[in-house]
Every structure is written in structure tokens, then in C-alpha cells.
Amino acid sequence: MGAIPTQRETASCACGAPAQGHMPAHGEAEPRAQTCTTFPGSPLAPGSARALVRATAAGWSADRLPGADHLTGRLVDDAVLVVSELVTNAVVHAGTEVTLELRLEQGAGALVVEVSDHHPSRAPRDAEAEAPYETPEYGRGLRLVATLAESWGVSFRRGTKTVWARLTDQARAAGGPESRGGRLVLERGLRAAESLAPDPQRAERDRDWLHRGALSFLAEASDLLAGQLDENLVAALAGQLIVPRLADWCAVWLEDEAMGRGWADGTAGAGPRLARVWHGSENRMEELRRALEKDPPHPADGAGTSGPVPHPWPGEALGARGEHGAALAYRLVAGGRPLGTLVIGRAGLLRFPDEVTGLIEDLSRRVALAIGAARQYARQATISQVLQRGLLPAAVAEIPGVRSALVYEPCDKGGPSGDFYDLFPAGDGRWCFAVGDVQGKGPEAAVVIGLARPWLRLLAREGYRVADVLDRLNRLLLDDATEAADAAARALVRPPAPGDGPQTRFLSLLYGELRPFDGGVRCTLASAGHPLPLLLGPHGDVRTAARPQTLLGVVEDETYTSETFELRHGDSLLCVTDGVTERRDGSRMFDDADGLADALAGCAGLSAQLIAERIRRLVHEFGGKPPEDDLALLVLQAE
């Protein structure tokens, strides 16, 4: 490209395409003089293009072509600047071939500059070095096309894309408004060219990463996002994934689904909540947050799609170096439900590269799915907590002459536990207590507990003896109506499948009755398939206080019996579930070789609360891992 191409006055460019694209307006004279040449991808191309402009202008002036008298030095300088920026961005940065075309308009004294990319879908420079299975990066031949088209013009022909500028010096000499407007357009375009000319090293790094790391980035991002069960953590993680790799800053707004639906219908809403703001520079985060909160995104902007829409640039919050840039908003939609908006920004750009916008659109869909999953988990956890509270007593009754202490630790914090307890007054100077364990967890266990607790209270207050209460509860659990309730509970979890039938409901239960008297408390209790209660004397002696019997819900005609004994001053009764006795450490269990009795013997002289806390601590310390089963224990101590 060392030699300067020869100018030609012709009606077609060197590639044979018709000279069209700029349509004269307001009676403009048709173009009279024209020259064009093709510049391959070469670092020398901008210099050759500048030389071509000056040589062409000098030639037109020397030949005294019509309109050449308006080619002032200032106008030629403007044309040189425009051509230099266009060719530099297209040839040097993108590596594609372009055709430069200059026209002189007769009478108007205007110089028209056109730069056409004849390979708009050809991969940029060095694309041939990519592996054949990688997706090429298309359409970056003219980085200024979209920006300059706003001020000047853009034309499309078969196989080409052209950006053109019409420069004039007439009105500028007179100081009229046309010159000022034209000069402002030129200056705006040149500022855009300056901001769009990227840091070559950063552009090269971005291009290489997008080609070779985008798929693995999305895969790793999916794994990270899928492991989060809190929507605020999802928002924070999204910011760390995007900044600084894909953008200079990022913000995530969250909205509840009812609000999002209302806005989509055009009604007013309370507005989204700015959950997270992330910037590559930490000292910019707070100022950026304040600026973004003043202008939140509205769901009407792309409410039904995850594709990007422009977002106002918060230049005042980003300092002098961030005065100009591009920002895009992505709606976060999962399952047709609007969940929020993701906004990204990058300084020094007026338009994000298509490769980046497409990648973040894919990422935004994954962020939306993670937020939706986190919200679903939160809803289920809330329902489970409400259900759990309904299955347990609001308060433990106080019994005259008896101190009580309770430890209750459900293993699964996200669902109803299979363990339950109760301690309530039954009338006529009686108090009753129960510690039970239902086979299984979740809704099926909740059904059994929801039946057992109120029936225990009802039967006790009706005056039934301890053994009779167990007899009737056993028949209740085997009743067909209970099976129907069980099936309904399973239907809440998953639709019934062929072959599904009523599930057997087993309940282990320790149930007892307390009658205070002068000098102590008379206790009557029975154990139905439950770990036997232990009685601790004031001097450390330990014995079992009941005999083993069959689980409830197993044998229809089972008859239960009870034992009665007295708790004197200092005596303590320990009732536990199998989460205590069957706590594992490898192949060993906590109650192997009377381990629970030995632990209780070491609690002689302690209050009920200290006994409960010590047993709980010993159970936790027994295994190297946290307990994998629900844990419940009740201590009753005679004063």
C-alpha cells in the first residue's frame, strides 16, 4: 500500500458496484467527481487512505472541477480525519477489507466520504487460526457503522455495508447554523471513533477469551449459580462473574412476581429493589449505587424478553474516565415469570460487541433460573416452617413440683421433622407428656403427627388411661381414612404413579401421665416401639422405667400396658428419640454397651436443663460429622 492510487472520475467504484447510497436532498446536484480504492487489512492502510484524500482533493482543485473551489484546507482536514478513523477501525482493529470512495458534489461544494465493508459476515483477522469446531466472530468489519449512522448515514447493498459522511465548508465560513450543526456532527463522530478505538491488548484478550472460553465460562457459571439457595447470593455471584471479564460494572434489580406481572400489564408498581451493585473499582460502588437507584429499569423496557435494551449511562457516578460508555439492561425471566433486571456497563464504548451481548444474554437466563429456584426453595422452606410450628406445641406446660427441659433439633431445616413432643395439662390434677418419632419425614410424617398430637390431647382430657390411649391411637393409624389422608399428602409432592398405594405409617411413641403429690410425682407411662426412658437417681444410679412394646400402626389387635412409679426429690426421667440412641460414629452407635445410661449417670446432681444440654453435647461430639437424624429429648425432674 505504499503507492497512492490514481484518482478516477467514474460513476462506479473499483469493485464494480453502482455508486449509490447517498441520496441528494433539497435539490442537491448529482455527484460529478468520484474516486475509490480498496484497502486490504494492513497497518499501512490508514496512512494510504489519508494520502489518497489529500491527493484526490489536490487533483480536483488542479483540474478545476465544478465544486472544487469549495475544497478549503479545513474541509480537506475534516475529510482526512473522518477517513483515517473509519479505515483504522475497519482495517486495523477488525482486519477486514474496505473500499474508500470520495465524491465531490457539483454546486453544493460538499465532499461525500463512503467506506464500504465488502465482507460483513467474514470473520476478523486471524480467524483462520481458530479450531474448526469453534464459533467464528462475525460482522465486526466497521465498528463505527452503528454509531456514525445516527449522525450521518448507512446504506446496504448486496454483500456490502457502507457508512458515509457529507462534509461542507460553505456555511462554516459564514458562521451559519448549518456549519455549527455540521461541525458538531463531525466532532461527535470523531469522539465516538476515539472511544470505539479499543485498547488493542484488551480487545485481543477479549476476542481470544470469547472464542476459547465462553462455553466453559457458561458451564462453570451454571454450576456456581445452581448451588445458591438465596436470591441475594445469586445476585452477588452474577456481579462477580460479569465484572471485570465482560463489563466494568453490573447491577441486579429484583422484584417480586406480583409486582412484575402488574408492571407488565401497564399498572403502577412499588418498583424493583436494587439487590447488588458491582464495579471493578470498589471506591465507585456506593456512588454508582446512589446514581442507579435514581433511575431504576422499568419492566416495560423488554418486559417479555431477556434480550438487551439500552439503559441510561450513569456518567456522573463514574468520574472523568467513565463519562461516556454503553449500558444494557436484560430482563430476568424464568418460566414466564419476571424476576428482575440485570444491567451491565462498560466505559469507552457506545455499543457492546455482539459477542458480549449474546454471552451475557445466555448468562442472564441462567441467573434468572437460579433466582427462580432460590425463590421456590424459600417458599417451600417458609411453608415447612409454618407447618412445623403447627405440629409442635406453642409452649411447654409448667408442672407443679417438676422441672422440665427440652432439646429439639430437626435434621432437615427445609421440611417437617419426623420427631415430635408434647407436654400439656389433662385436667383433674394430671399432666401428660409424649415423645414420638414417625417413620419418614416431610408431608407424610406431618400427616401422622397432625393426627397423633390432637388425638393424644383429646383422649387424655376425656380421662382415658395411658394404655387405652395407645390402643385407640394404634387403631386410628390403621384406619382407612388415615390412608386416604396419607395419599393426599403424597400427591402434594408428586403426582400418583401407577401402582402407588397407601403407605404404612409406623409411629414410635413414649407416652406418660404425671400426678403430683406431697413428696413427689407419680408417673405412669408406656413405650410403643420407642427407646426406653431412663430414670436417674440422686446418687447416679440409672435404670429403665418401662418395657418395650410394638410400634403403633403395625398390629391391629395389639393391647398395650403401662408401668407406674414415683419420682422423688432429685430423681430425673430422660426420654429420647432414636436420633440420640442411634447416633453413629462409623459402625458404633451412641447407645452401644449402655452408652446413654453411662452418659446419664455422669449427670447426677445436675439440674434438668444442664442434664439436657450435656446429653445433647455428648451426642454431637460422638460422631465426626453433624447428626444425620432428628434429635429430641425431654428431661423431667422432681423438685
Side-chain angles (χ1 to χ4, degrees):
M1 290 301 299
I4 300 176
T6 303
Q7 66 183 37
R8 296 183 299 157
E9 294 182 27
T10 177
S12 65
C13 63
C15 62
Q20 58 184 359
H22 171 65
M23 301 302 294
H26 306 293
E28 292 177 351
E30 291 291 337
R32 179 55 191 246
Q34 178 172 294
T35 183
C36 68
T37 189
T38 299
F39 294 93
S42 168
L44 299 176
S48 299
R50 292 191 292 268
L52 173 65
V53 174
R54 294 193 183 279
T56 299
W60 284 340
S61 297
D63 293 341
R64 300 194 179 191
L65 295 177
D69 55 324
H70 297 294
L71 292 175
T72 64
R74 182 64 178 269
L75 180 59
V76 173
D77 289 343
D78 287 347
V80 168
L81 286 174
V82 171
V83 167
S84 180
E85 293 294 342
L86 288 171
V87 175
T88 297
N89 279 274
V91 174
V92 176
H93 295 314
T96 57
E97 295 182 359
V98 296
T99 293
L100 169 63
E101 185 174 316
L102 305 172
R103 293 200 308 273
L104 180 62
E105 294 184 350
Q106 182 179 348
L111 179 59
V112 177
V113 176
E114 287 191 2
V115 176
S116 302
D117 179 8
H118 291 277
H119 306 283
S121 42
R122 170 176 159 185
R125 179 180 64 249
D126 299 333
E128 63 274 11
E130 297 171 359
Y133 54 82
E134 293 181 337
T135 303
E137 183 182 25
Y138 291 119
R140 289 180 52 189
L142 290 178
R143 295 170 60 95
L144 286 180
V145 167
T147 302
L148 297 185
E150 298 175 359
S151 303
W152 298 333
V154 61
S155 302
F156 294 90
R157 309 183 186 115
R158 184 181 298 274
T160 65
K161 180 186 289 184
T162 299
V163 60
W164 56 264
R166 183 175 180 272
L167 309 175
T168 180
D169 200 56
Q170 280 184 334
R172 187 194 316 113
E178 181 183 346
S179 69
R180 290 194 297 272
R183 189 62 189 167
L184 287 174
V185 166
L186 176 62
E187 290 175 353
R188 183 165 68 237
L190 294 181
R191 285 198 303 270
E194 180 181 358
S195 65
L196 282 174
D199 175 0
Q201 292 183 352
R202 182 175 183 180
E204 189 67 27
R205 290 194 302 269
D206 288 350
R207 180 163 51 247
D208 181 70
W209 182 81
L210 285 168
H211 279 314
R212 306 182 185 280
L215 292 179
S216 61
F217 167 78
L218 288 175
E220 293 174 4
S222 297
D223 291 341
L224 291 171
L225 293 169
Q228 304 302 324
L229 297 177
D230 181 274
E231 62 181 49
N232 293 307
L233 293 179
V234 173
L237 185 57
Q240 296 179 51
L241 288 169
I242 292 173
V243 179
R245 169 58 66 188
L246 299 172
D248 293 332
W249 59 267
C250 165
V252 178
W253 278 264
L254 296 177
E255 60 202 43
D256 62 58
E257 295 175 27
M259 178 186 69
R261 287 194 296 271
W263 278 3
D265 294 335
T267 59
R273 171 177 62 89
L274 185 53
R276 184 68 180 183
V277 175
W278 198 267
H279 193 286
S281 176
E282 291 187 7
N283 57 6
R284 291 287 179 193
M285 287 188 188
E286 284 304 316
E287 191 173 356
L288 178 60
R289 172 181 285 275
R290 288 193 293 269
L292 293 174
E293 285 177 335
K294 297 176 183 177
D295 191 13
H298 197 284
D301 299 328
T305 176
S306 61
V309 295
H311 186 78
W313 179 256
E316 69 278 4
L318 300 177
R321 298 184 63 182
E323 182 179 358
H324 302 288
L328 294 175
Y330 296 78
R331 289 290 283 149
L332 300 174
V333 181
R337 302 188 305 272
L339 305 177
T341 305
L342 167 69
V343 177
I344 62 169
R346 189 162 175 176
L349 288 180
L350 293 185
R351 180 177 179 273
F352 270 91
D354 292 341
E355 304 85 357
V356 173
T357 60
L359 182 61
I360 294 184
E361 185 172 358
D362 286 340
L363 178 62
S364 70
R365 284 192 286 266
R366 288 162 169 79
V367 171
L369 290 173
I371 292 173
R375 289 187 174 183
Q376 180 67 20
Y377 175 83
R379 282 193 294 268
Q380 292 177 347
T382 300
I383 292 172
S384 296
Q385 291 170 2
V386 172
L387 182 59
Q388 185 74 61
R389 287 195 296 268
L391 297 176
L392 297 174
V396 175
E398 294 185 3
I399 305 173
V402 177
R403 293 179 181 177
S404 63
L406 177 73
V407 172
Y408 179 73
E409 295 180 350
C411 179
D412 184 6
K413 302 297 189 294
S417 166
D419 289 5
F420 72 98
Y421 62 89
D422 205 355
L423 181 59
F424 59 92
D428 297 330
R430 298 177 298 122
W431 280 261
C432 294
F433 65 93
V435 176
D437 185 1
V438 179
Q439 181 190 36
K441 295 180 174 62
E444 294 179 354
V447 169
V448 177
I449 297 174
L451 288 170
R453 272 195 63 242
W455 272 102
L456 284 174
R457 290 194 171 208
L458 176 62
L459 294 172
R461 287 167 179 169
E462 288 292 324
Y464 284 91
R465 300 179 305 165
V466 169
D468 293 336
V469 168
L470 295 187
D471 289 342
R472 284 161 176 75
L473 185 57
N474 181 58
R475 289 196 294 270
L476 177 67
L477 293 175
L478 291 167
D479 190 81
D480 290 339
T482 308
E483 295 176 353
D486 194 331
R490 292 197 310 278
L492 294 175
V493 181
R494 60 178 176 84
D500 277 0
Q503 299 293 314
T504 303
R505 295 162 311 283
F506 297 147
L507 170 63
S508 74
L509 180 67
L510 181 65
Y511 173 69
E513 178 184 282
L514 301 173
R515 286 179 177 269
F517 66 94
D518 292 340
V521 179
R522 183 171 293 104
C523 177
T524 302
L525 58 78
S527 174
H530 201 80
L532 298 180
L534 297 178
L535 182 60
L536 171 67
H539 303 294
D541 52 305
V542 176
R543 64 180 179 87
T544 59
R547 66 181 185 85
Q549 299 180 80
T550 307
L551 283 167
L552 298 174
V554 177
V555 180
E556 184 173 0
D557 297 328
E558 180 72 9
T559 299
Y560 292 90
T561 60
S562 61
E563 282 78 33
T564 300
F565 57 91
E566 292 181 354
L567 291 174
R568 296 289 182 173
H569 174 72
D571 289 340
S572 300
L573 182 68
L574 174 64
C575 309
V576 302
T577 60
D578 61 9
V580 174
T581 57
E582 297 180 5
R583 166 71 162 138
R584 287 189 173 275
D585 181 17
S587 60
R588 298 186 305 121
M589 291 193 295
F590 184 77
D591 198 32
D592 285 349
D594 294 328
L596 179 60
D598 291 341
L600 182 60
C603 298
L606 298 181
S607 66
Q609 187 63 47
L610 291 178
I611 292 174
E613 176 57 31
R614 182 167 183 177
I615 298 299
R616 187 203 69 83
R617 178 174 55 81
L618 292 175
V619 170
H620 276 267
E621 292 175 351
F622 182 75
K625 298 179 181 180
E628 297 179 355
D629 195 4
D630 304 323
L631 188 153
L633 63 91
L634 174 67
V635 178
L636 300 172
Q637 186 178 70
E639 293 183 323

